[in-house]
Amino acid sequence: MKTFWLIDGQGHLAGRLASICAKELLNGNKIIVVKAEKIEISGKHIRNKLKFLVKSKKRTNTNPKKGPFHFHSPSQIFWKMVRGMLPHKTKKGTSALMKLKVFEGLPEPFNRMKKFTIPTALRISKLLNGRKYSVLGEIGNQIGWPRKNIIDSIVWNRNIESKLFYNQKIKSLKKKTANYNAKVLFISGLLNLNIQ
């Protein structure tokens, strides 16, 4: 059965999440990963950053335009991790990779949908307490991804809007319950007068 998965990447370990995504993609499921900038990698931040910087210096000696091409945004880094776990040069692997979409932040159609977390890939359950870890968005920001501030401001604005909406909803509910209680008291008072 072919299904659609919307996965919230926040708090997941990159490799574990990528392997689960690769397996499900090969089974024919469509997967969308949001909040890619909050996916985590085990290990010290500086060590992971240096790994990415060393990798980004590798290029074709004769003509650098021929590749390899190194990505800086967290969504593309995670996409390439999943690609490494798929047989992407075969027809089956290519079609599986086409079913994967990865986004930074929480784009508009997905912010109202139910998002899944994968317990076997969560850092809090798989990494021992006190172990160092780094966040993909921070690494990407330091190796050349320019859009971290934009994503953070969008998320911050959305959080403020949701808090305002929630406060207005609570006020309207309190007003409705107060009106309802007043009606109940009025009706019960009338009933008491009629009985006496």
Side-chain angles (χ1 to χ4, degrees):
M1 182 179 159
K2 299 193 178 359
T3 56
F4 170 87
W5 285 28
L6 180 62
I7 299 172
D8 185 358
Q10 184 171 4
H12 288 82
L13 286 170
R16 288 178 181 271
L17 183 60
S19 65
I20 291 165
C21 288
K23 189 175 270 190
E24 290 301 322
L25 287 167
L26 285 172
N27 287 339
N29 297 328
K30 187 177 179 185
I31 293 180
I32 296 172
V33 180
V34 293
K35 294 187 188 175
E37 77 280 2
K38 302 218 172 138
I39 295 175
E40 297 164 352
I41 303 173
S42 61
K44 286 185 179 178
H45 175 77
I46 190 72
R47 187 166 181 266
N48 287 323
K49 179 185 159 187
L50 288 174
K51 272 187 197 174
F52 278 101
L53 286 172
V54 167
K55 204 183 288 182
S56 68
K57 297 228 183 327
K58 289 181 169 39
R59 62 183 196 162
T60 305
N61 202 16
T62 53
N63 189 0
K65 288 181 186 174
K66 291 183 178 177
F69 304 107
H70 306 290
F71 301 122
H72 301 299
S73 73
S75 61
Q76 290 175 318
I77 290 169
F78 182 74
W79 179 86
K80 200 168 183 184
M81 280 183 191
V82 176
R83 190 189 78 168
M85 297 179 186
L86 290 171
H88 66 94
K89 293 184 180 179
T90 64
K91 192 173 182 182
K92 183 181 181 183
T94 306
S95 65
L97 194 58
M98 294 293 283
K99 292 174 185 166
L100 174 70
K101 300 279 184 251
V102 188
F103 297 100
E104 287 106 6
L106 202 53
E108 186 56 43
F110 306 119
N111 61 351
R112 292 181 181 89
M113 295 180 190
K114 183 180 178 184
K115 290 164 279 301
F116 292 100
T117 58
I118 299 171
T120 56
L122 285 172
R123 176 193 54 85
I124 202 156
S125 64
K126 290 296 174 181
L127 208 62
L128 290 173
N129 285 341
R131 298 289 186 186
K132 304 271 193 235
Y133 66 93
S134 50
V135 182
L136 211 53
E138 294 294 328
I139 293 170
N141 187 37
Q142 292 180 358
I143 64 171
W145 177 52
R147 293 185 180 88
K148 184 180 184 305
N149 295 333
I150 297 168
I151 298 289
D152 289 344
S153 67
I154 289 169
V155 170
W156 190 75
N157 288 337
R158 187 174 285 154
N159 287 342
I160 287 177
E161 286 172 9
S162 64
K163 282 179 185 174
L164 289 171
F165 174 76
Y166 178 75
N167 291 338
Q168 287 174 352
K169 193 171 184 180
I170 292 294
K171 281 181 185 176
S172 66
L173 282 172
K174 283 182 181 176
K175 194 174 183 181
K176 282 180 184 177
T177 54
N179 290 341
Y180 178 75
N181 290 339
K183 285 179 183 176
V184 167
L185 286 173
F186 179 73
I187 292 170
S188 64
L190 287 176
L191 288 174
N192 287 340
L193 287 173
N194 292 339
I195 291 170
Q196 292 172 356

